[in-house]
Amino acid sequence: NAGVTQTPKFQVLKTGQSMTLQCAQDMNHEYMSWYRQDPGMGLRLIHYSVGAGITDQGEVPNGYNVSRSTTEDFPLRLLSAAPSQTSVYFCASTKRSSQRSNEQFFGPGTRLTVL
Amino acid sequence: LAKTTQPISMDSYEGQEVNITCSHNNIATNDYITWYQQFPSQGPRFIIQGYKTKVTNEVASLFIPADRKSSTLSLPRVSLSDTAVYYCLVGDMNRDDKIIFGKGTRLHILP
C-alpha cells in the first residue's frame, strides 16, 4: 500500500491564483480530512469527509473547497490564493470502524507559499 | 468537543523516562484519548490510544486515572530521535466527525 499520497510537495502561487492540492489513499478508508499547519503551530482542520459524496467544514474552511467523488480521492481547491494561506497542508485518512478508531494516517504534506 | 491542555515544551535527557501530561476536564463518556507524534517536515504519526487505566505498546504507555480528566503519555528511555511535538487528542471518530488538534508539547531531548 502506498498509504496517503499528496501532490505536489511544493507549490508557489501568486495572490489570486487558484490551484488544487491532490490527496489519495489506497486503504479504503471512509474518512478523509485536510489540515493546515502554520509555522510553530498545531494542525487546524479545514474540511473533512465521512464518505464519498459527503463533505463538511472544519475549523478554518474559508477560501477552500473540497469534493469527494470517490473513496480514494479528496482534492482541496484554493479558489483565490491569499498570502494568509501560506502554510503546510496535510491530508489524512481513517478507518473509523477499526479498533484504533482515532488513528489517522497522514500524507507527507504540501508546502504552499503564496506571494 | 473536549478541549485539551498540555505543556508547551519540555526538555529531558537521553536515557530518561519522559512523562507528558494532558488535561481534558470535559471529556465525554464515549471519548478516547489519543496521542500523536510529529517530527519536523512530516505529518503526525499515531502513537497510542486508550479509554481507561493503562495501555502499553512497543513505543509508549498511556496512563489514565479513574476520573479520566487527565492522561499521561510515558516514553521510556528516550533518545535524541524522540525530539518531536506530541499531541493529545480527545474524542471518538466513530461518533464525532471532527477531531481537533491542539498546539501540542514540544519535547527536546538533550545528549
Side-chain angles (χ1 to χ4, degrees):
Chain A
N1 287 350
V4 179
T5 58
Q6 292 183 238
T7 56
K9 284 187 169 52
F10 301 94
Q11 183 70 48
V12 178
L13 292 177
K14 294 181 180 178
T15 297
Q17 287 185 316
S18 63
M19 80 158 295
T20 300
L21 279 64
Q22 301 291 345
C23 174
Q25 53 92 9
D26 61 357
M27 298 174 283
N28 199 31
H29 288 172
E30 60 271 62
Y31 184 101
M32 296 184 74
S33 54
W34 276 101
Y35 294 87
R36 61 176 287 176
Q37 185 171 37
D38 299 327
M41 302 292 287
L43 284 82
R44 290 186 291 171
L45 182 65
I46 305 172
H47 284 286
Y48 64 94
S49 169
V50 299
I54 306 169
T55 64
D56 208 342
Q57 297 180 349
E59 302 172 89
V60 289
N62 292 340
Y64 307 95
N65 274 356
V66 291
S67 59
R68 185 92 180 273
S69 56
T70 66
T71 299
E72 295 77 19
D73 300 297
F74 191 42
L76 178 72
R77 281 183 288 279
L78 278 70
L79 309 172
S80 177
S84 61
Q85 294 179 305
T86 294
S87 191
V88 179
Y89 291 84
F90 291 103
C91 178
S93 73
T94 305
K95 187 162 185 65
R96 297 171 87 184
S97 55
S98 67
Q99 266 193 330
R100 302 207 302 199
S101 57
N102 288 355
E103 181 176 9
Q104 296 194 68
F105 293 83
F106 282 82
T110 294
R111 192 172 297 272
L112 176 68
T113 300
V114 183
L115 303 175
Chain B
L1 296 172
K3 185 180 175 181
T4 61
T5 303
Q6 308 173 230
I8 294 174
S9 65
M10 293 178 64
D11 289 341
S12 188
Y13 291 93
E14 277 193 294
Q16 292 195 335
E17 178 184 79
V18 171
N19 295 312
I20 306 174
T21 297
C22 179
S23 172
H24 29 80
N25 290 320
N26 59 340
I27 187 170
T29 302
N30 294 327
D31 285 346
Y32 288 87
I33 299 154
T34 310
W35 286 80
Y36 282 82
Q37 175 191 57
Q38 186 181 25
F39 297 115
S41 301
Q42 294 185 25
R45 182 177 69 107
F46 175 95
I47 301 175
I48 197 165
Q49 174 176 310
Y51 183 80
K52 61 180 180 181
T53 61
K54 177 184 174 183
V55 179
T56 297
N57 62 21
E58 62 277 6
V59 298
S61 295
L62 178 59
F63 297 93
I64 306 167
D67 66 5
R68 302 200 331 121
K69 293 184 184 300
S70 66
S71 59
T72 299
L73 176 73
S74 181
L75 304 172
R77 296 180 300 281
V78 293
S79 64
L80 295 175
S81 62
D82 292 313
T83 294
V85 179
Y86 292 82
Y87 296 95
C88 166
L89 286 69
V90 173
D92 178 11
M93 292 189 76
N94 281 324
R95 178 175 54 87
D96 302 322
D97 289 338
K98 299 179 186 180
I99 292 289
I100 303 298
F101 280 75
K103 292 185 171 59
T105 297
R106 195 170 296 273
L107 176 65
H108 188 204
I109 305 301
L110 303 166

